[in-house]
Amino acid sequence: MASARNVAVAVAAAVLVLLPVFGSEFFVSFVMTRTVMLGLAASTIVFLSAYGGMVSLAQFLLFGIAGFMVGNAVGEAGSKGLKLGWNPWVAVVFALVVTTVLALLLGALSARTAGIYFLMLTLTYAVIGYYFFGQVTTFSGFGGITGIDPPDVFADHPTRLYYLCVVLSVVAYVGLRALGRTPFGVALQGVRDEPVRMASLGFNVPVIRMLAFTVAGFVAGVAGILNIWWNGQIDPTSISIGPTLDLLIIAVIGGIAHLEGAWLGAFVYVIANNYMRNLPFADSLGLTEARFNTVVGLLVLLIMVLSPDGLAGLSIRAHGLVTGATRDARPGGVLDAALHEIATVDDGPNGRLGVPEPTTKGSTR
Amino acid sequence: MSFAAGDSTVDDTSARRTPRSITTWVAGSLAGLATLWVVFLARGTSAGSAIREPGEFLVTLLDGITFAGLLFVVASGFTLVFGLMRTVNMAHGSLFLLSAYVAIEVQQSMVGLDRNIEAGDIGILDWVVPVLVGSLVVAVVGVIMQQLLLRWNQGQDLRQALITLAVSVILADQMLAHFGGLAQRVVWPGAVTRFFEIFGARYALSRLFMLALALVVGAALWLWLNHTRMGMVIRAGVDDQEMVRALGINIHVVFATTFFVGAFLAGVGGVMGASFAGVAPGTDGQWLLNSLIVVIVGGLGSIRGAVAGSLLYGMVVAFAPAYLPSQYTYYAIILTFVLLAVVLAIRPYGLFGKEA
């Protein structure tokens, strides 16, 4: 099972690497760069929810903060913000440090909550962050920061930037999955399933959650830096509630319980965004670019009604049907069940920490 | 527990407070310093200290309380639905905006004008009817959503949150298509569009009208929850849903009624908000945020928490821009975050909340 999944992921990665050979310039440097970048950002949502049981809406805020920090650091006279005029690589370090520290602080603040409460709290952070960058003209203002160039290595070389996105995505994918198997990752999964039990076993539940949030914030920051190099500009509207929800939608489309689903969801989202008008009969159905959000909303609604673990879950289940596996006996593939599943699917015997199964389900929920 | 008048959480809180006495102390001194600043110092602020400028202080205080009234109307619907059903309705802000748009259409057709409606043309009925129509429309939309999309997956809170999120995305896009992107407003009735003098400062009667409405809504909600059979069932359901079912009560009717009322309250709030500040695309997200902050501060699922959260948040929104030094006024949003952080540090599940 797991090996089939790994083969599929490896094939996908190989296709991504070879893509510039046969794909058009526009497709690679516009569509696919955006896909891989958004997938990297969305993978942090998936990581937190699949391994930690925390559905975070603050990831796009951290993504944006990294972008704003790069913008402020490299901006020169004439642009908005602090205009520090630093070397772009110094700016990268600066942006990652700021983003990670902020992730640590926000994580510390929300680490004693989980589940739906965590979702609401992080949505609040996201919207406050949007107003902050909109109103505080020291850092940006609603006009945003424009004219940001990537380091010379990537300037005017869109294919290099694409490869950077792919390489960092592969590193993040392998790294986050590997992290899930370390003692820390296993403890995190324990916290997801049985926080009370983990606390009584002597684990510091808030610290584990906070560190997971910090790691995810760091990765989101990396994606945010790629974004500003690719985009050349950033403004508060691009991190407002709409795009914030879009990133969650990407994670949901792909399947919020499977790390590779993030890139799959980003692919579907970006393709739909770019090519929807080319569909046959699109015009007669009223499917225009302007109503893109309605289509995306309907898509998410459909996924949440039919298969809450998204496309990745759907494909795994289809594979299970073909091979006759009966693992997915749970009706409807409930999201919570999907969240629990990853422990046993991904991480073999480690998934449950070797703690004996509870005889009755805990009443914490 | 939370809807009942006489809570008995005293032992609980004192036990929880002991290890966090330092954070409580810090929060207390922060509040004390803020009060000192507002009352005596407030140098370089647009309002001036309360001692020297009592009029400004009173106006700011009234701004806070009246805004808190509006916050309460909207957030009480949000918290009511969560308290009973554990459903976080991410489409609450969309219902707010939809009601406002419907009310605007109704008011325009009642007056027979498309734009430039003068307050003098608006009788009380020309305002009350749009409120009722708008709120009823979104209440029905809310119940339809609950019956079609939420009834069969009760208890899966994340799935429900994502479903209502999808609904909010669709509604926002459709409203943009049908009502356009320009800011619009409901016009207050002429009778309340006046100003009166208070310590030498002018104050709008319409804001007090808004507060009075909020008090009426709050009183009706209290009567409904504490003195009717349905309210009793809802309070019982908040505490122990299984037992309510076991007693032979049709919980689905109770759920639908609660969702109706929750959406209706979003609708009433929407028309009040549209009269008070106007609405535009994006107002839905803003009011989802407002509802979230109120319930995070007050505690999700508690009506008393909604009162406390509305008052605290309303005060921060009113006082922060007036009493920050003028060149830092735009940092006001930070104080909202500070309020959130302080409350979370002391009580992770809000002032009156309990762990979900």
Side-chain angles (χ1 to χ4, degrees):
Chain A
M1 187 73 224
S3 69
R5 180 184 169 199
N6 288 342
V7 169
V9 170
V11 168
V15 170
L16 283 179
V17 170
L18 292 177
L19 198 65
V21 179
F22 52 85
S24 74
E25 169 98 24
F26 169 81
F27 187 70
V28 171
S29 65
F30 194 79
V31 177
M32 287 315 287
T33 307
R34 189 162 168 232
T35 296
V36 178
M37 203 168 64
L38 284 176
L40 181 59
S43 72
T44 64
I45 296 185
V46 176
F47 170 74
L48 284 177
S49 94
Y51 290 87
M54 304 179 275
V55 180
S56 165
L57 278 167
Q59 298 317 108
F60 207 66
L61 171 68
L62 296 164
F63 175 90
I65 285 175
F68 275 114
M69 288 307 123
V70 168
N72 274 300
V74 305
E76 284 161 13
S79 67
K80 292 239 175 84
L82 293 173
K83 296 173 264 203
L84 297 173
W86 289 351
N87 177 298
W89 294 108
V90 179
V92 167
V93 175
F94 169 69
L96 285 177
V97 168
V98 170
T99 310
T100 311
V101 168
L102 276 174
L104 186 77
L105 291 176
L106 292 179
L109 204 54
S110 35
R112 280 185 286 159
T113 63
I116 198 73
Y117 212 84
F118 191 85
L119 178 86
M120 291 169 34
L121 208 51
T122 47
L123 176 60
T124 313
Y125 296 157
V127 184
I128 289 180
Y130 157 70
Y131 283 114
F132 178 81
F133 282 109
Q135 289 170 4
V136 180
T137 44
T138 319
F139 297 114
S140 158
F142 278 109
I145 302 177
T146 50
I148 303 302
D149 294 322
D152 294 336
V153 195
F154 301 109
D156 306 319
H157 288 100
T159 315
R160 286 189 193 167
L161 190 58
Y162 168 77
Y163 273 122
L164 181 67
C165 290
V166 171
V167 167
L168 287 176
S169 284
V170 170
V171 170
Y173 176 76
V174 174
L176 288 177
R177 276 189 74 176
L179 185 65
R181 285 189 215 92
T182 60
F184 168 75
V186 176
L188 180 62
Q189 295 175 53
V191 166
R192 171 198 65 200
D193 292 335
E194 301 282 350
V196 177
R197 178 176 295 216
M198 289 298 284
S200 52
L201 283 173
F203 288 91
N204 192 336
V205 171
V207 167
I208 291 174
R209 285 192 182 133
M210 180 183 79
L211 289 178
F213 192 79
T214 311
V215 170
F218 174 81
V219 177
V222 170
I225 292 172
L226 293 175
N227 175 57
I228 194 159
W229 284 354
W230 178 73
N231 234 333
Q233 60 170 40
I234 186 162
D235 60 66
T237 316
S238 69
I239 61 162
S240 66
I241 190 165
T244 297
L245 296 184
D246 285 347
L247 195 70
L248 179 68
I249 283 169
I250 286 172
V252 168
I253 291 176
I256 203 152
H258 306 277
L259 210 48
E260 60 272 26
W263 286 273
L264 188 61
F267 182 68
V268 172
Y269 177 87
V270 175
I271 291 291
N273 200 345
N274 280 300
Y275 295 106
M276 199 169 69
R277 72 197 133 161
N278 298 345
L279 283 177
F281 313 116
D283 279 343
S284 52
L285 289 171
L287 287 183
T288 57
E289 217 97 311
R291 295 283 74 77
F292 174 65
N293 279 334
T294 300
V295 176
V296 165
L298 287 172
L299 186 63
V300 173
L301 202 56
L302 205 66
I303 286 173
M304 291 319 294
V305 169
L306 296 178
S307 165
D309 37 357
L311 294 178
L314 211 60
S315 67
I316 286 178
R317 218 175 320 152
H319 183 87
L321 278 181
V322 172
T323 54
T326 52
R327 192 176 48 75
D328 256 328
R330 292 190 203 84
V334 172
L335 181 65
D336 288 337
L339 292 177
H340 279 262
E341 218 159 68
I342 195 160
T344 44
V345 176
D346 270 6
D347 304 285
N350 281 344
R352 276 293 188 168
L353 286 167
V355 177
E357 281 289 317
T359 43
T360 51
K361 200 77 190 93
S363 59
T364 46
R365 188 159 275 270
Chain B
M1 91 175 199
S2 312
F3 290 162
D7 272 358
S8 57
T9 51
V10 183
D11 306 336
D12 218 26
T13 38
S14 60
R16 218 176 297 169
R17 221 171 255 165
T18 333
R20 304 205 194 294
S21 54
I22 295 173
T23 38
T24 314
W25 191 82
V26 170
S29 39
L30 267 180
L33 283 177
T35 314
L36 273 183
W37 171 261
V38 167
V39 173
F40 296 109
L41 297 162
R43 276 200 208 93
T45 64
S46 59
S49 71
I51 294 273
R52 261 173 293 145
E53 301 277 353
E56 286 286 343
F57 176 76
L58 211 59
V59 164
T60 314
L61 191 67
L62 278 174
D63 276 352
I65 296 176
T66 49
F67 185 61
L70 178 54
L71 285 171
F72 170 76
V73 172
V74 181
S76 61
F78 187 83
T79 208
L80 184 70
V81 166
F82 179 85
L84 183 64
M85 294 181 249
R86 306 277 129 183
T87 301
V88 171
N89 182 11
M90 293 291 196
H92 202 67
S94 313
L95 296 175
F96 176 102
L97 185 58
L98 179 61
S99 164
Y101 278 133
V102 171
I104 288 166
E105 300 270 303
V106 171
Q107 193 179 49
Q108 284 174 350
S109 69
M110 283 180 82
V111 183
L113 285 173
D114 259 5
R115 50 192 70 249
N116 299 330
I117 302 177
E118 294 284 331
D121 302 336
I122 304 289
I124 285 284
L125 263 189
D126 296 326
W127 193 80
V128 172
V129 173
V131 169
L132 291 178
V133 174
S135 310
L136 280 174
V137 167
V138 296
V140 171
V141 170
V143 170
I144 291 173
M145 178 173 87
Q146 192 258 336
Q147 290 293 315
L148 282 183
L149 299 174
L150 302 176
R151 178 178 167 156
W152 45 271
N153 49 25
Q154 198 61 51
Q156 301 169 28
D157 51 3
L158 276 178
R159 192 181 191 180
Q160 291 197 327
L162 292 173
I163 284 177
T164 53
L165 204 64
V167 170
S168 80
V169 170
I170 297 170
L171 277 179
D173 201 42
Q174 288 300 316
M175 284 190 283
L176 180 64
H178 289 287
F179 301 104
L182 294 177
Q184 302 183 50
R185 62 191 312 147
V186 177
V187 184
W188 286 115
V192 300
T193 317
R194 295 213 200 100
F195 289 88
F196 61 94
E197 292 264 324
I198 182 164
F199 279 89
R202 272 156 53 90
Y203 204 75
L205 188 61
S206 57
R207 290 195 74 135
L208 291 188
F209 178 63
M210 192 166 78
L211 178 63
L213 271 179
L215 290 176
V216 170
V217 167
L221 208 55
W222 181 80
L223 281 176
W224 183 56
L225 285 171
N226 288 297
H227 292 276
T228 64
R229 190 185 148 71
M230 179 62 95
M232 193 172 72
V233 172
I234 289 175
R235 279 187 291 130
V238 169
D239 275 345
D240 194 338
Q241 222 185 80
E242 303 288 311
M243 191 50 91
V244 171
R245 276 174 207 255
L247 287 172
I249 292 163
N250 186 345
I251 198 91
H252 285 298
V253 175
V254 182
F255 281 174
T257 312
T258 310
F259 218 96
F260 184 90
V261 174
F264 189 87
L265 287 171
V268 174
V271 185
M272 284 162 68
S275 316
F276 162 64
V279 290
T283 310
D284 47 353
Q286 203 181 336
W287 277 92
L288 176 61
L289 172 76
N290 286 343
S291 312
L292 286 176
I293 291 179
V294 168
V295 299
I296 288 172
V297 168
L300 195 49
S302 155
I303 295 284
R304 289 198 306 167
V307 175
S310 302
L311 279 173
L312 277 173
Y313 179 43
M315 288 306 159
V316 168
V317 167
F319 275 87
Y323 285 93
L324 276 174
S326 304
Q327 68 267 39
Y328 297 115
T329 308
Y330 50 63
Y331 282 106
I333 186 78
I334 293 290
L335 286 190
T336 304
F337 184 74
V338 169
L339 170 71
L340 212 60
V342 168
V343 171
L344 285 175
I346 302 171
R347 301 205 38 130
Y349 288 89
L351 294 176
F352 292 89
K354 56 178 179 180
E355 203 164 327

